[in-house]
Each structure stands twice: as structure tokens, then as C-alpha cells.
Amino acid sequence: MNVTRGFTGRRRVSRPGLPPGQYDAGDDWPVLSAEVTPDLAPAHWSFRVDGLVERPHTWNWDEAHALPGSAYEGDIHCVTGWSKFGVRFGGVSLDAFLAVVGPHVSATHVLARSHTGYTANLPLTDLTGGRAWIAWDQAGVPLAPEHGGPARLIVPHLYFWKSVKWIAGLTLLDHDEPGFWEGNGYHERGNPWEEQRYRGD
Amino acid sequence: MTEQTHGTPGTSSASPARFAVPGRIAVSEQVAAEWQTATLTEVRRETPHASTFRLAVPRWAGHLPGQHLMLRLTAEDGYVAQRHYSLASAPDDSGYIELTLDRVPDGEVSGWFHTVARPGDSIEVRGPLSGFFAWPGDRPALLLGAGSGIVPLMSMVRHHRARGLSVPLRMLVSARGPEELIYAGELGAETTAVFTRSAPAGVPVGRMSAAHVAPLLAEQPPGGWEAYVCGSNGFAEHASRLLVAAGQPVDRIRIERFG
């Protein structure tokens, strides 16, 4: 351990929900997208699931909203170090979308893509079983454009760069294929509890 | 390097991605994974609220302008605080790197740097990280920054000068006032400063506007500009909209937001 002379740090508060190396951002919700925030109206938003599926399908705004509603209430964790407690996202569970398309048994990974062209890769198992959502509300109000509105992917058990803003679609694959940050040196999975920030962590 | 975004095999939807911004360089896995000891050798006051910290990192693998590092401080009880900071120095400063940090009220890490740190102290760093915001000095660069958002852009300006590069480079930087303009004494003809609260006599006070951006986009270099925007999210949103409105392609705007 390399102790830094004179460094005491914040008052230690035990936060059971805080992964290693993270701090509580409190009321802040930093924005860290690397691209220009798109001007995307709900009427122009669409969400497609394709690749290794039985029935590729595209939903528009109204069709996606016709699926059974589901919410995530809990914490989110950004690779840059902040965590935000007690956020509430409303939308539809990804399981509901996947049930429509029928993933092929050979599908193991997913490349999620944004309407901006941003991408992130995920193991399919991280997106099923009630652990991922397409969300359009936060705290009961429509998601702001800079936070991914009109709709974004939410995968709260992984670092938040996986929760693709302005979500356009998922492609199911039988192999892993790096997304935007993964191709820029970030970890392929990004589990905050194992501090998987950069490739090799 | 191709500027196309990766077409995914099996993607039948293929509305072509309009503005996925490609990374500029490959990143070393080994370098990114390893923590190294860095020794503080010098502290230089830049403005009333920002100072530059010069660090000796003997095994520093080198970086490209625009890259950042991760830094950690460890308390006696083992508590660790880590942050990402942009590199301010040009890549050729062999074995040394410089960071310029704002003094953030109640800043856990920046507070230590501004009130406790002195030459001889050691900390830990890992990097350089992320190729996304890097500028290898190959294409014309249009840099827009605000406050300490100038830091990674200054690395680009310094690199441009140190190498005597002929590729065009222009910087537009916003500060509250002349006394808050970081690196003021080092800025040259490539830079236009915009002051939002107070300005020297004869210089208008106001926000960065289309009037600042339009002339730069009117003088397009061959191949066009690669735009780099750095600052708070509010500034990044504002500046990137100015660029888009002035005709800069969205897939050639890279944004580094503080947060």
C-alpha cells in the first residue's frame, strides 16, 4: 500500500451499495457522452432487435409503449468514479422485447447501438432475467436528451457506459464484438463490483 | 484509418450510423493496466483557482495530446480516492507529465493537491488512457474549450509547437475573465479567448457564439477540421451545437465532458 502523505480523504460513510473505487455523486448526474447530443423526437425514435433471432422486429415509440411497463429503482455506477443512489427509471424490461423476437440458442452476445452510432457490447445473459430495460422516464419525467432521451438502454449492474443512450437497437451475435469504449481500451464486461474499468482489469 | 463505423455482420437494420465518432488510436492494454509511482517535482500557480503539478514518472510510456490518466491517493487506513485527469503536457517531455487542476470547493483529490501536496510527494497513476479524444497531430484541429477544459487542448497546442507541425490548428477558449484564463501567457496567434464575466478594455464580454465559430469554419483547411470540445457539460452542449449549426459534421466532433 502506497500511502499518500497527508491524504485523509472524505469522511468514511459506510455505503453498502458503493462499489470499490466509487464515490457518491449525491444529487449530481454527470453527463459524459463523447458525441453531440442528437435532436431525436419520440416520433423519429425506433428500436430494432435483430441478428441471431427467430423474428427480427422494429418497434416505434407507441408500439414500445404498448408493451408491459416495468421500472428499475436502485443505483447506477459510472466508470469515471461516480455512483448515483436511488434513481428510478421507467420503461419496459428487455425480456419483453426479447420474447417477441425469440433469441436463437446460438446467441451469446449483443451489440447495442445508439441512433448516434455509438455502440457497446454485452453478454446476452447480462440483458435477460429482469436486469435490463429500455427506459424513457427518470423520476417520473421524460428522460432528458443529454441523458439519453427519448429512450436509452439501462443495465444498472454494469458500468453505465453499457447503458447506451438514444438506443436504436440490439444485434444478437454468437461472439463478442467490441463496442465504442471497449475498442478504446475499456473492459469488455464492466462489472463495477470487480472494478472492471479497463481491458485487463 | 477508415472513418466508417463498424458494420455489424448480421445487422439487417442498417440505418447507417450518422455520427459515430471513431477512436483515433489503438490503446496499449499493458500500459493501461499498470499503476506506477509518480513523484511531484514542481507546483506552478496558473490562475487564482488552478495550478499545474509536474510529476516525474520514470516509466511513463508516452501519450498523445488529449489522452488522460487515472490517479489515486491512498489514506493511512487504506481508503483510496481515484480520479481521471487530462494530461496537460506535450508528449515529448520524456519521463515527466503535467496536470493542471482546478481547485474544486470540497474537492477530495484536488483539495489535497492544492493544500497539502509539495515537491517530493508521491502518488500513483495509470495510463495513458482512451484513444478517443487523442490528437496525433495528423489532421487540422479546431479546439473549443472552457475553464479547465483547455487542459487537454493545450497539450495539443504544445505538441503542435514543439514539433513545428504545419497542419492548421486553431483554439477558441472561454474563461470568466483574463485572470482566470489558464496558460494565458503561453497562448499565441492560434488562440482566441472569449471572456464571459469581465474582459480587458475594448474586448467584449459574452458567451462563445456563432460569431466566434463561423469564421473558423469559413476558412476550411483541406480535408476539413477535426473538432475537439472540452469543458463542463453545459459548455460542451453549447459549443457542439454552435459547431453543428456552423456546418461541422457531427462525426468529426469529439467531446470530453467533465463529470
Side-chain angles (χ1 to χ4, degrees), chain A residues 3 7 16 26 36 49 51-52 56 58 76 93-95 98-99 106 112 125 139 147 166 171 175 177 183 188:
Chain A
V3 172
F7 176 69
V36 179
V49 184
L52 296 170
T58 304
I76 56 175
S93 168
L94 213 51
D95 293 311
L98 292 171
S106 62
T125 51
H147 288 303
W166 316 296
T171 298
H175 61 279
E177 201 169 283
E188 58 272 21

Side-chain angles (χ1 to χ4, degrees), chain A residues 33-39 116 166, chain B residues 19 21 236-237 240-241 243-244 249-251 253-255 257:
Chain A
S33 7
E35 73 270 58
V36 179
T37 300
D39 186 10
T116 67
W166 316 296
Chain B
F19 45 95
V21 188
E237 287 288 308
S240 61
R241 279 196 211 107
L243 285 169
V244 172
V250 281
D251 60 356
I253 302 174
R254 292 179 166 70
I255 306 178
R257 306 170 199 243

Side-chain angles (χ1 to χ4, degrees), chain A residues 41-152:
Chain A
H44 295 127
W45 177 83
S46 63
F47 177 62
R48 179 174 175 83
V49 184
D50 57 22
L52 296 170
V53 298
E54 299 300 327
R55 299 166 296 276
H57 194 90
T58 304
W59 289 263
N60 66 22
W61 184 255
D62 291 336
E63 290 159 354
H65 281 67
L67 294 169
S70 175
Y72 168 73
E73 194 152 3
D75 313 329
I76 56 175
H77 313 288
C78 176
V79 69
T80 63
W82 57 266
S83 290
K84 189 169 172 60
F85 289 91
V87 285
R88 188 163 59 83
F89 290 106
V92 169
S93 168
L94 213 51
D95 293 311
F97 293 96
L98 292 171
V100 173
V101 297
H104 195 272
V105 284
S106 62
T108 56
H109 290 81
V110 171
L111 194 67
R113 61 185 180 278
S114 166
H115 281 275
T116 67
Y118 174 91
T119 53
N121 55 308
L122 301 111
L124 180 57
T125 51
D126 276 318
L127 294 178
T128 55
R131 298 209 291 169
W133 291 261
I134 300 298
W136 34 72
D137 287 349
Q138 195 272 323
V141 298
L143 203 51
E146 62 187 15
H147 288 303
R152 73 180 294 168

Side-chain angles (χ1 to χ4, degrees), chain B residues 65-146:
Chain B
Q67 286 193 284
H68 63 267
L69 53 63
M70 197 166 181
L71 172 157
R72 77 179 173 199
L73 307 180
T74 306
E76 281 190 16
D77 64 354
Y79 172 84
V80 168
Q82 49 193 22
R83 298 288 186 274
H84 292 85
Y85 291 118
S86 293
L87 289 148
S89 45
D92 296 331
D93 203 2
S94 180
Y96 290 87
I97 55 173
E98 291 186 355
L99 308 176
T100 301
L101 309 187
D102 266 336
R103 184 169 180 175
V104 184
D106 301 322
E108 184 181 36
V109 173
S110 68
W112 179 85
F113 272 97
H114 283 274
T115 59
V116 180
R118 62 182 186 222
D121 282 341
S122 60
I123 58 163
E124 291 174 289
V125 298
R126 69 186 282 200
L129 302 171
S130 183
F132 165 70
F133 202 70
W135 181 64
D138 53 349
R139 297 186 195 155
L142 181 56
L143 317 177
L144 275 67

